[in-house]
Amino acid sequence: MEFGCVSAGCPNHWIRYGKYCYLFVTRYPMEWIDAMTFCKTYGAILAEVKSSSVNTFLRHEARRLTGIFWLGGSDMFIERSWKWMSSNTRFYYSTWGHGEPNDSGGEHCVQLHSSFNYAWNDAKCQNRFNFICQKAA
Ligand code: BGC
Ligand code: CA
């Protein structure tokens, strides 16, 4: 539970960083597409990481909570063309784990992965993981 100015301007359970509120969902691991729909229900998107400062904040929280978390990036339409899906924008900032993205057996969705000290991994979109929703504060 977060209190006070940390989450000012955010709904209960969401935590604030910069202009955005983030919800770390750990109780209902979902396929990437279902996680996206879940976030949409709250007027949110799957988290999009466009700077190292946001990445540092998210990985710190993810590490604290433990587990693996979907982000809102995918190359499901064009292989190796990684996009933030809410706006169809190419990655400018990225922080892939060593050897990633490796498309191991067909992997088209981005996650913060504990094995890479919470750098990014591409994983199979149809596998179930925790996830992070994002919306404007
Ligand atoms: C993951 C892959 C990843 C690999 C790295 C596997 O468990 O499914 O996405 O590239 O680990 O070793
Ligand atoms: Ca991978």
Side-chain angles (χ1 to χ4, degrees):
M1 201 87 66
E2 312 292 332
F3 297 103
C5 51
V6 178
S7 296
C10 296
N12 227 346
H13 303 297
W14 294 65
I15 51 177
R16 175 96 180 244
Y17 184 78
K19 296 179 291 186
Y20 297 105
C21 305
Y22 297 93
L23 181 68
F24 288 74
V25 182
T26 56
R27 292 182 181 211
Y28 314 106
M30 291 183 196
E31 297 183 21
W32 186 91
I33 197 79
D34 292 333
M36 187 181 164
T37 303
F38 180 100
C39 294
K40 216 168 184 177
T41 304
Y42 290 92
I45 57 174
L46 273 175
E48 303 192 345
V49 185
K50 297 179 175 174
S51 69
S52 61
S53 63
V54 168
N55 192 68
T56 299
F57 167 75
L58 295 180
R59 84 197 291 210
H60 177 85
E61 287 300 315
R63 197 185 282 129
R64 191 172 67 77
L65 293 165
T66 74
I68 299 169
F69 293 81
W70 284 132
L71 297 174
S74 174
D75 75 338
M76 61 176 67
F77 296 130
I78 304 171
E79 180 59 24
R80 284 186 295 279
S81 174
W82 291 95
K83 303 268 182 77
W84 294 117
M85 296 305 273
S86 79
S87 54
N88 201 38
T89 51
R90 292 192 74 118
F91 288 8
Y92 176 62
Y93 171 80
S94 64
T95 177
W96 295 103
H98 182 71
E100 306 297 339
N102 65 355
D103 195 38
S104 176
E107 299 182 313
H108 305 299
C109 290
V110 181
Q111 54 185 200
L112 286 177
H113 201 296
S114 46
S115 292
F116 300 106
N117 197 20
Y118 289 94
W120 303 355
N121 175 46
D122 59 341
K124 290 191 172 65
C125 306
Q126 62 273 29
N127 288 345
R128 294 178 186 207
F129 293 100
N130 297 335
F131 54 97
I132 308 168
C133 299
Q134 167 194 327
K135 65 175 174 173

